[in-house]
Amino acid sequence: MNIKPGAMIGLLGGGQLGRMFTMAAQCMGYRVTVLDPAKDSPAGNIAERHLCADYLDYQALDVLGSTCEGVTTEFENVPAEALRYLMKYCMVSPTAESVSIAQNRIFEKQFLAEHGFAVAPFAVIHHQQDISSQLDASLLPGILKVSRFGYDGKGQHKVASIGALSEAFASFRHEPCILEKMLPLESEISVILARGHDGQVTYFPVAENHHVQGILDMSIVPARIAQETIRHACEIARQVAVRLNYIGVLCIEFFILADGQILINEIAPRPHNSGHYTLDACITSQFEQQVRVLCGAPQGSTALTQAAVMTNVLGDLWQSNEPDWHQVLCHPTVKLHLYGKREARPGRKMGHFTVLAATADEALGHAQAIKHALQPKS
């Protein structure tokens, strides 16, 4: 199936990922309808049409499906049932089945383990009685994560004892959780790939990721790790996509351990924050590739044109005044992206900037200096 420019395509979700997808689609001549329950959303504000409704509002889904030739999603917490329902109308990618696995940490970990992919040792916590002296003590200290809706460090607690684990589980209102063993990490990386309806797989340059308080702070590209590790991680990511029968843009986050082991951390069934650098540093961005795959078009080149460091801009920078964007824009090889969000809150992603340079280390030095210059003056 080939969806030609000029057609209306649909998007479930109105956040910043959806905004960047919409911009990419519009550049290619497509029109976009966004379904999102928020009246004022980054993607809904620029799309040709915004259906302000719940994701399981079947009347709205009927409108979306009957007026669009293809539909995709910009975040994994859209109910899989909405994707399944839309499939009777039009092309939908990714499928409900693959998203239903990736949006639930329990299903995700079990799927990976059952198919032989290496993950951190874990246990499933469904009920309080799962936390007892019978629990594998080697999993502590660990991280307790809610199975659904956790992101950017939310829905996670570090725990070092059975007592702390019980308290953390109670703080999550006894929602089903995963307990993962904490491991000695050498680095964290992400592989973003696109897989088409024809099975073609393209990979974006691997990003080396640094987090602060559970939120991605910087992505460094190319990752400063061994090429063999990069090749191995890309092959694992491809195998996951094939096993999931995944169509679309997919991100696999990996842990690289001190002993060289490569473990899968999480799957994100969509473009990813760590891939925002592709907007400025690759021939084809992850968002354009998402449009191409959805519409059955040939995939674009993912070649890196320059080394890059992407840095998130959080709401913490807004204290009494708007940040001084001159500190970013005075650098001729830096690109600023703001998401059009009206309210700045601590930890909320308001935008990002990408530094382009000849080497990753040079870009990192500039990014760190700009980040420091943007900090509110006390």
Side-chain angles (χ1 to χ4, degrees):
M1 178 178 178
N2 183 261
I3 302 173
K4 297 178 180 179
M8 181 72 81
I9 55 179
L11 181 69
L12 293 167
Q16 63 264 20
L17 297 174
R19 181 184 180 93
M20 289 179 270
F21 169 87
T22 299
M23 289 176 171
Q26 290 169 336
C27 282
M28 298 173 68
Y30 294 96
R31 296 173 296 135
V32 180
T33 296
V34 168
L35 193 159
D36 188 275
K39 292 181 179 179
D40 188 19
S41 67
N45 285 339
I46 66 167
E48 277 74 12
R49 187 178 189 183
H50 175 205
L51 299 173
C52 187
D54 184 81
Y55 297 119
L56 286 176
D57 181 324
Y58 291 100
Q59 184 175 357
L61 291 173
D62 286 335
V63 173
L64 187 70
S66 62
T67 58
C68 295
E69 294 190 32
V71 175
T72 188
T73 178
E74 65 114 28
F75 78 130
E76 61 266 45
N77 289 324
V78 167
E81 175 54 33
L83 295 169
R84 191 173 292 110
Y85 185 82
L86 288 166
M87 289 177 69
K88 69 180 183 180
Y89 283 108
C90 61
M91 177 66 66
V92 176
S93 73
T95 65
E97 287 70 30
S98 54
V99 171
S100 67
I101 292 170
Q103 69 183 193
N104 184 303
R105 284 192 172 102
I106 294 175
F107 297 164
E108 177 184 274
K109 282 289 189 292
Q110 291 174 337
F111 169 87
L112 292 170
E114 287 168 4
H115 287 88
F117 296 106
V119 296
F122 71 94
V124 176
I125 309 294
H126 280 296
H127 308 286
Q128 187 66 41
Q129 52 263 41
D130 294 329
I131 304 172
S132 69
S133 58
Q134 303 300 312
L135 185 75
D136 185 352
S138 70
L139 294 175
L140 298 172
I143 302 177
L144 186 70
K145 301 179 179 180
V146 291
S147 62
R148 292 290 308 274
F149 305 115
Y151 64 97
D152 288 345
K154 299 178 178 68
Q156 300 185 17
H157 268 309
K158 293 181 180 180
V159 293
S161 66
I162 293 294
L165 177 58
S166 294
E167 290 177 10
F169 186 56
S171 75
F172 293 148
R173 299 182 179 181
H174 300 100
E175 289 288 329
C177 290
I178 283 280
L179 174 64
E180 294 180 6
K181 180 179 175 63
M182 291 183 66
L183 299 168
L185 303 185
E186 184 69 26
S187 59
E188 297 181 57
I189 63 171
S190 54
V191 175
I192 299 173
L193 60 79
R195 184 169 182 263
H197 300 279
D198 58 358
Q200 179 191 6
V201 176
T202 55
Y203 307 91
F204 287 92
V206 173
E208 172 189 342
N209 300 321
H210 295 261
H211 296 79
V212 175
Q213 295 182 338
I215 302 175
L216 181 64
D217 181 40
M218 289 183 172
S219 291
I220 303 166
V221 186
R224 299 168 299 173
I225 60 176
Q227 286 301 308
E228 181 56 35
T229 301
I230 288 175
R231 285 191 290 270
H232 189 193
C234 287
E235 175 56 22
I236 294 170
R238 185 195 67 80
Q239 292 176 16
V240 171
V242 170
R243 287 286 190 179
L244 279 172
N245 193 26
Y246 190 89
I247 307 297
V249 172
L250 176 73
C251 176
I252 310 286
E253 298 178 73
F254 289 92
F255 291 147
I256 310 299
L257 303 190
D259 63 4
Q261 285 189 76
I262 304 175
L263 306 181
I264 296 177
N265 175 25
E266 291 184 350
I267 303 171
R270 52 171 171 78
H272 194 257
N273 191 179
S274 64
H276 290 352
Y277 77 89
T278 63
L279 287 163
D280 303 306
C282 290
I283 293 174
T284 305
S285 76
Q286 62 174 345
F287 303 102
E288 180 182 335
Q289 203 79 306
Q290 186 183 16
V291 176
R292 286 171 174 259
V293 170
L294 173 65
C295 295
Q299 294 185 43
S301 168
T302 58
L304 190 70
T305 58
Q306 281 186 282
V309 170
M310 187 286 303
T311 303
N312 275 325
V313 174
L314 304 183
D316 308 64
L317 295 182
W318 279 253
Q319 289 190 355
S320 56
N321 297 300
E322 182 93 0
D324 181 7
W325 301 123
H326 178 77
Q327 299 294 337
V328 180
L329 298 173
C330 66
H331 298 272
T333 63
V334 177
K335 299 289 190 175
L336 176 65
H337 298 260
L338 297 176
Y339 304 150
K341 296 180 179 179
R342 305 293 183 226
E343 181 186 358
R345 300 190 297 268
R348 191 183 196 194
K349 294 171 182 173
M350 301 297 291
H352 71 269
F353 64 85
T354 302
V355 180
L356 304 173
T359 68
D361 286 337
E362 181 184 348
L364 179 59
H366 290 318
Q368 290 171 330
I370 294 168
K371 182 183 175 184
H372 177 75
L374 280 175
Q375 295 303 313
K377 305 300 185 287
S378 56

